[in-house]
Amino acid sequence: MPARHTLCFKAFTVTTPSKPLDLANLDPLTAGIFQATTSGDRSARLREWLQTGPSEALLNDVYRELSTKDKGVAKQLKEKIEEIKRSHGQEALASDWAQKAELILSAPRLNMADALAWQRDAAKAGAPLSREPLASLKVKLVEVVKGVEDLQHQVMVQRESAVLLAQRIEVLSTKPLAEAEHGHAGLQNDVAQWQTQAQALTVSAVWPSVDLKYPHQLDAAGKQMQAVWDGFSAALVLANEALGDASAALPPVPVWADEIRRQRGEMVQAPTGPVASAGASNAEKSDKSDKPAKPKIDPAQRQALRELALQTVTQALESLEKQITENPGVPLPEACVALRTALKTHGKNLDTSLDERLHKALTAAGDAEGWQRWLADQVRLDLVTQAEALLDENKVPTVGGRKLQDKLRQLRDGWKQIDQGGLPNHGLWKRFDAACNEAYKAVLAWLEQMKKDSADQRAQRVALMDEVKAWTAAHVDSDDWRAQLRALHQFADRWRNAGHLSEKAFGEMQSQWKSLFKAAAARLEAAQKASIERRQALIQEAQAVGAAPALRIDAVKALQQRWQVEAQSVPLDRKTEQKLWEVFRAPLDEAFQRKGTERPQAAGPISDHDRAVIDASKALDAANASGDVVQIRAAMGALDAALRGQALQAKAVQSAPAVQPVAAAAVHETASNETADSTTHDAAPADKAEMASGEGAQEDAALSTTDATGEQTPAPAPAAVVKPAKPVVAVRGDDRPGQKRTEAPTGRDGRRDARPGERGVRPGADRGPGRAGDRFADRAPRGDFREDRGPRLGDAAFRAQREAMERAEMSLRKLAAQAHGETLTRLIGAWQGRQADALPTSQELGKAVPAPVRQAWVQAVGAEAKAPAANALLRLEMAAEIPTPADQLNARRALQLQLLTQRNQPGPKETWAQDVAQVLSGPHEEATARRLQNALKNLLRA
């Protein structure tokens, strides 16, 4: 412990006085940055100091001190430090990638893959390719790669040139001898020039980096051209000798030999017919026989060559593998060159046993190309696998005929591309060719089937065109445009689905079909054009009707009816018809909308009746938002009362006072008598209410009249003006709603022997004799069936009360469903806890559960749990008509069969309350409770 205290004390004493010493030392080195009074002065001094190129360690010390004094200036210093670090990193990357580029360039044979990938990989790694030395190395690599590519292109040009020279020599050998002599000098110069150019290519600096196939191709082309040239020169020399010496042998060129025979005076016969063909075939055979035969190699010599090749390549391979083991991951270009030299010399005589080892060794030594023969064999093996996979085990194609044909073409093209300039593999070629030939049999069968199908489809299309011609001739006078349009659509579909034809055949038949179809649809198109003109006229009429100041509904209906008749008679294209209909309907819709907007403006201010209804609707909305059932029902009653009270008030206002008091009294007396009669006969509550309201109105009117006369001078008081409940106007055949008749009834259904109020009497049949011949005598008075709804509501008031009532009814339904669910939850909870006092009340359970039933449930819940009642649950589910769980279906079917045999016993719908009591007397289980709750959801709502 004392040692630790001593160490802490020493550290404290050493670090405390060091800070002012550091600042004092750093300030003169940094041009007075720490003594600057403002941040701008400090930033200016920092920029001046950074131009002097301070060391990285000094920059870090200054940043450490500035980070606590001025963060803005410290940020600038931090950016400079990070820039220096990045430059150091880029220098390391540049050095690394420069070494790689120099290694690629110094290799005796340029690896094209590495050279092409160097710039891409260096850019991905973040190396500064725009700075030296990477910039110059990049240019060198690009130039070397371009030189190799140009050299390869020149090799291909030289190869084609050799072929063209050989063709010129062969063509010249068919010309006369004099012309051949004349062209010999030019050909000789061209051949010499070609050989000079080919030699220049081989001595190029980048020739070792050329792909291995190009030297072989150039050598083969040179040998072939030289052989042709030597043969031509020898034949020309021999021909010249034969011209000078008649005993000399003729040249092997037929044209020149015939020419020499003619000069010697010999007969030359040109064979004709079969003899000529036989002569030509013999000449071909002789030409073939004249070609030097390929020398046969002795089997022992062949085996010796193979053993030598195996021994030489194995030694080079083992040497390379040893170097790879000693230097893993290091490129070995010299060893690779030695191995490739051995392969170039002995590769043709080497078997395939070492191919995989050679490829792995070359790739491990840094040669990206590897052993080309092994790679080519892998690609060939893949092609063989694909060719064999074209047919399954039963020789059935795995793809369609067209795809199979294209696949075979692609596979053969791929094999040809691989064989160009490479060593062949006869074993794989035999497998590949056999698989392709076997698959091509399926292609031939498919082609035959396609030809047959094409012929059938062509015949089908020809028959369809004949059918269209016959149909056109048969419907020249037909006016059933809808049937014609349907038939034309069917013809077009049949032509479209008639099958595939070749492009040429389909093009020829398509032009014929278009002309026939156009002739068939000519009358329909003319009718459609005329129909469009008529619809345009209807559109103009609709625009005129819509623009009129007063909208005529009868004119609108007539226009719409004419449009429907036109649309049903002549069908149009769906888009055209819809577009015309929208244009036709637009002015009418605009007119109706204008009428709807003008109606509220013409209605004027809101009446007292509408105002009362709107206020009652707002009160109903407020009660609806509260969620209280009592308030909602009270508000609904208030709205209904506002409507009904306003109707009664309107009736009282509409009843005007009579001109003479005596007449008014008589009318009142008559109305009272009629009301009494109608009450005695019909006992209609509506009539009673009307009578009461009428009497109240009369009494109020009498009181108001008496008060008014009492305040005036004591003159003879006039008779009180009484407002009758139902004012009577003396008109013929009084058929006002609610008016009762005092005439003697005519009897049942208009017969005179019927008694008043007799059952089955037609309403209105008890009218008096004066009404017997009235044309409205068989109609019932409106007051007998519908009570007066008051004056017509305005649009705003009507919509307000309707929407308020709808929202209120929806809220009541939601609250009822919510209360129903809560009631069931409480019932199940009381059963689970065996708490009889927790059961819902009879009012909460609803009218389906009377008090005795609830008392039975209380006793079942309060008693001790008994055995489960399985049959009771099944009966409940049958009564509620809900599904039963799958494991209880057999029991339910058995119970249903048992109930069918008990005819006089009550059914489940009659005894569901007792069944619920049995279930509640049993123990509570989750599955049982769920089934009981599902059943009670339907039963308690009934």
Side-chain angles (χ1 to χ4, degrees):
M1 292 298 290
R4 290 184 181 178
H5 283 295
T6 303
L7 290 174
C8 292
F9 177 73
K10 287 181 179 179
F12 179 74
T13 54
V14 169
T15 56
T16 301
S18 64
K19 188 170 184 180
L21 293 176
D22 292 340
L23 290 177
N25 295 331
L26 287 175
D27 193 62
L29 297 176
T30 58
I33 293 176
F34 297 98
Q35 293 181 358
T37 56
T38 62
S39 178
D41 188 13
R42 189 177 295 110
S43 178
R45 294 184 182 184
L46 177 64
R47 287 193 294 270
E48 294 177 359
W49 176 63
L50 290 177
Q51 291 178 359
T52 60
S55 63
E56 186 175 0
L58 184 58
L59 289 174
N60 289 327
D61 295 339
V62 174
Y63 173 75
R64 191 181 304 110
E65 297 297 335
L66 278 179
S67 60
T68 58
K69 293 181 177 294
D70 194 337
K71 295 186 180 295
V73 178
K75 184 178 180 181
Q76 299 178 9
L77 188 57
K78 181 66 174 177
E79 292 176 355
K80 182 63 176 179
I81 295 173
E82 291 178 353
E83 182 180 355
I84 294 174
K85 290 181 179 179
R86 284 196 300 269
S87 64
H88 291 338
Q90 287 186 350
E91 290 177 0
L93 284 174
S95 177
D96 186 15
W97 285 99
Q99 293 178 2
K100 293 182 179 179
E102 292 175 355
L103 185 62
I104 294 174
L105 291 173
S106 62
R109 185 176 185 276
L110 179 67
N111 193 333
M112 293 289 291
D114 293 345
L116 294 173
W118 178 85
Q119 184 176 354
R120 180 195 61 202
D121 297 341
K124 287 184 179 180
L129 294 176
S130 60
R131 294 165 55 184
E132 295 295 338
L134 296 184
S136 59
L137 290 174
K138 179 177 69 173
V139 174
K140 290 181 181 179
L141 281 174
V142 170
E143 292 177 354
V144 172
V145 171
K146 185 178 180 181
V148 172
E149 292 178 350
D150 292 344
L151 190 59
Q152 293 178 166
H153 179 69
Q154 292 176 10
V155 170
M156 296 176 64
V157 172
Q158 285 297 114
R159 179 188 174 191
E160 295 297 330
S161 300
V163 173
L164 292 176
L165 283 174
Q167 291 178 358
R168 285 178 58 190
I169 294 171
E170 291 178 357
V171 170
L172 194 59
S173 64
T174 61
K175 301 298 181 180
L177 186 58
E179 188 175 350
E181 284 284 353
H182 183 269
H184 178 266
L187 275 177
Q188 186 174 7
N189 294 332
D190 293 341
V191 170
Q193 185 179 1
W194 186 92
Q195 292 175 350
T196 303
Q197 294 176 353
Q199 186 65 25
L201 293 178
T202 57
V203 298
S204 176
V206 293
W207 179 255
S209 301
V210 175
D211 195 356
L212 296 178
K213 65 180 181 181
Y214 290 104
H216 175 71
Q217 293 177 0
L218 183 62
D219 188 17
K223 290 181 180 179
Q224 181 181 3
M225 187 199 65
Q226 189 64 36
V228 173
W229 174 248
D230 293 342
F232 176 79
S233 300
L236 188 60
V237 171
L238 189 59
N240 291 329
E241 293 178 355
L243 284 175
D245 187 3
S247 62
L250 295 175
V253 180
V255 177
W256 298 348
D258 294 341
E259 185 178 356
I260 293 173
R261 288 192 187 96
R262 292 191 189 95
Q263 291 182 3
R264 291 179 180 179
E266 299 178 2
M267 182 63 66
V268 179
Q269 295 181 357
T272 58
V275 179
S277 61
S281 61
N282 293 332
E284 292 178 359
K285 292 180 180 179
S286 62
D287 291 341
K288 292 182 181 179
S289 61
D290 291 341
K291 292 182 179 180
K294 186 177 180 180
K296 295 183 179 180
I297 303 177
D298 186 26
Q301 185 180 359
R302 185 187 299 275
Q303 184 64 27
L305 291 175
R306 289 180 179 177
E307 292 178 358
L308 178 61
L310 181 62
Q311 181 180 0
T312 306
V313 173
T314 303
Q315 290 178 359
L317 177 60
E318 291 177 353
S319 176
L320 179 59
E321 290 177 345
K322 183 178 180 181
Q323 295 182 22
I324 293 172
T325 306
E326 295 175 354
N327 304 311
V330 178
L332 302 171
E334 297 179 357
C336 290
V337 171
L339 180 58
R340 283 201 173 275
T341 303
L343 289 174
K344 186 176 182 180
T345 306
H346 304 283
K348 295 181 180 180
N349 300 322
L350 186 66
D351 56 5
T352 59
S353 60
L354 296 177
D355 286 352
E356 188 173 359
R357 285 181 60 191
L358 288 170
H359 179 73
K360 291 182 179 180
L362 288 173
T363 53
D367 191 348
E369 296 181 0
W371 179 224
Q372 294 295 329
R373 191 174 74 177
W374 185 83
L375 292 175
D377 287 344
Q378 296 301 314
V379 178
R380 290 190 182 100
L381 185 60
D382 183 32
L383 293 177
V384 170
T385 305
Q386 294 182 25
E388 292 176 347
L390 294 176
L391 301 178
D392 58 6
E393 297 178 354
N394 299 325
K395 303 299 181 180
V396 178
T398 57
V399 294
R402 177 70 64 184
K403 291 184 178 180
L404 183 60
Q405 187 180 20
D406 296 340
K407 188 66 176 178
L408 284 173
R409 186 180 295 110
Q410 294 174 6
L411 291 175
R412 288 195 178 273
D413 292 342
W415 192 278
K416 291 179 182 178
Q417 187 177 2
I418 294 172
D419 279 350
Q420 288 180 357
L423 297 176
N425 191 323
H426 299 288
L428 292 178
W429 164 251
K430 291 181 179 179
R431 286 179 56 190
F432 176 77
D433 188 56
C436 290
N437 292 335
E438 190 67 26
Y440 191 69
K441 295 179 181 178
V443 175
L444 293 177
W446 172 75
L447 291 175
E448 292 294 332
Q449 184 65 30
M450 286 293 295
K451 291 180 181 179
K452 182 179 178 182
D453 294 343
S454 178
D456 296 342
Q457 291 159 6
R458 183 181 180 86
Q460 182 180 357
R461 290 179 184 270
V462 171
L464 181 59
M465 288 192 292
D466 295 339
E467 184 178 354
V468 171
K469 291 180 183 178
W471 181 87
T472 305
H475 292 78
V476 173
D477 300 329
S478 176
D479 292 336
D480 190 358
W481 307 116
R482 191 172 296 276
Q484 292 188 25
L485 181 63
R486 189 183 305 111
L488 290 174
H489 280 303
Q490 291 176 359
F491 286 143
D493 292 339
R494 289 169 59 186
W495 179 265
R496 191 181 303 110
N497 301 326
H500 177 73
L501 287 177
S502 63
E503 294 183 1
K504 183 178 179 180
F506 181 77
E508 295 175 356
M509 300 189 70
Q510 183 69 11
S511 59
Q512 300 176 11
W513 167 257
K514 286 184 178 180
S515 60
L516 290 175
F517 194 82
K518 185 177 181 180
R523 296 184 63 254
L524 177 61
E525 291 176 355
Q528 289 178 343
K529 185 177 180 181
S531 176
I532 291 175
E533 294 177 356
R534 290 192 293 270
R535 297 190 195 196
Q536 293 289 350
L538 290 176
I539 290 173
Q540 295 178 0
E541 294 182 17
Q543 292 175 352
V545 172
L551 183 62
R552 294 176 51 194
I553 305 299
D554 56 345
V556 173
K557 290 184 178 179
L559 279 175
Q560 291 177 347
Q561 186 176 6
R562 289 166 60 190
W563 184 277
Q564 293 296 331
V565 170
E566 185 65 30
Q568 292 174 2
S569 60
V570 182
L572 298 177
D573 181 60
R574 184 182 298 273
K575 293 178 64 176
T576 305
E577 190 164 2
Q578 183 66 24
K579 186 176 180 180
L580 291 173
W581 168 249
E582 291 177 356
V583 175
F584 170 77
R585 200 180 68 175
L588 301 180
D589 291 347
E590 183 179 356
F592 278 109
Q593 186 177 5
R594 185 174 66 251
K595 182 179 179 182
T597 55
E598 292 175 355
R599 184 184 293 117
Q601 298 176 1
I606 300 177
S607 62
D608 295 339
H609 174 60
D610 292 351
R611 177 63 63 188
V613 172
I614 291 175
D615 294 340
S617 301
K618 293 180 179 179
L620 180 57
D621 289 336
N624 192 17
S626 65
D628 189 358
V629 178
V630 178
Q631 293 184 13
I632 294 175
R633 293 190 181 279
M636 292 176 67
L639 178 58
D640 188 42
L643 292 171
R644 293 178 180 276
Q646 191 66 25
L648 295 176
Q649 184 179 359
K651 286 184 180 180
V653 172
Q654 289 176 0
S655 59
V659 178
Q660 296 179 0
V662 178
V667 172
H668 171 61
E669 183 177 357
T670 303
S672 301
N673 294 334
E674 289 176 356
T675 305
D677 295 339
S678 63
T679 304
T680 305
H681 291 184
D682 300 334
D687 294 342
K688 292 181 181 181
E690 293 174 356
M691 181 181 65
S693 62
E695 293 175 356
Q698 293 174 5
E699 293 176 0
D700 294 341
L703 291 175
S704 62
T705 306
T706 305
D707 294 342
T709 55
E711 293 177 357
Q712 297 175 358
T713 58
V721 179
V722 181
K723 295 181 180 180
K726 298 178 181 177
V728 178
V729 180
V731 295
R732 182 182 65 82
D734 194 357
D735 57 351
R736 290 172 299 160
Q739 183 65 28
K740 303 300 179 181
R741 302 290 177 258
T742 57
E743 291 81 6
T746 59
R748 180 182 303 176
D749 294 336
R751 296 195 302 271
R752 301 225 177 232
D753 56 349
R755 295 187 300 274
E758 183 180 1
R759 183 178 181 183
V761 178
R762 184 176 58 193
D766 56 347
R767 297 177 181 177
R771 299 288 295 168
D774 191 7
R775 61 191 180 96
F776 298 108
D778 58 344
R779 294 186 181 181
R782 293 180 62 186
D784 294 346
F785 299 95
R786 296 179 297 179
E787 51 184 318
D788 195 357
R789 294 176 294 179
R792 180 186 179 95
L793 290 175
D795 186 69
F798 175 75
R799 293 180 182 277
Q801 63 88 18
R802 184 183 65 180
E803 294 174 359
M805 290 295 289
E806 290 177 355
R807 288 192 292 268
E809 291 174 356
M810 185 179 297
S811 297
L812 288 177
R813 287 195 295 269
K814 290 183 179 179
L815 292 172
Q818 182 179 0
H820 182 67
E822 293 176 355
T823 302
L824 289 179
T825 304
R826 290 175 54 193
L827 176 62
I828 300 300
W831 176 35
Q832 184 178 4
R834 312 299 298 183
Q835 297 176 0
D837 53 351
L839 281 175
T841 62
S842 298
Q843 183 178 3
E844 294 174 346
L845 291 172
K847 62 182 180 180
V849 182
V853 174
R854 181 185 178 278
Q855 187 62 29
W857 291 3
V858 169
Q859 294 176 1
V861 171
E864 294 183 359
K866 300 179 182 178
N871 288 341
L873 264 178
L874 295 175
R875 291 173 64 90
L876 284 174
E877 290 171 346
M878 294 166 61
E881 297 180 355
I882 62 174
T884 302
D887 55 346
Q888 300 292 331
L889 284 178
N890 294 331
R892 178 168 176 170
R893 294 193 185 98
L895 181 60
Q896 288 175 344
L897 293 175
Q898 184 179 358
L899 292 177
L900 289 175
T901 60
Q902 300 174 0
R903 294 186 177 180
N904 298 327
Q905 297 296 329
K909 291 187 177 181
E910 300 174 0
T911 62
W912 68 268
Q914 292 82 357
D915 295 334
V916 172
Q918 292 182 14
V919 174
L920 294 177
S921 63
H924 176 274
E925 296 178 357
E926 291 294 335
T928 305
R930 193 181 305 110
R931 294 172 62 187
L932 176 62
Q933 186 174 3
N934 293 334
L936 289 178
K937 283 182 182 179
N938 295 341
L939 294 174
L940 293 181
R941 291 176 182 172

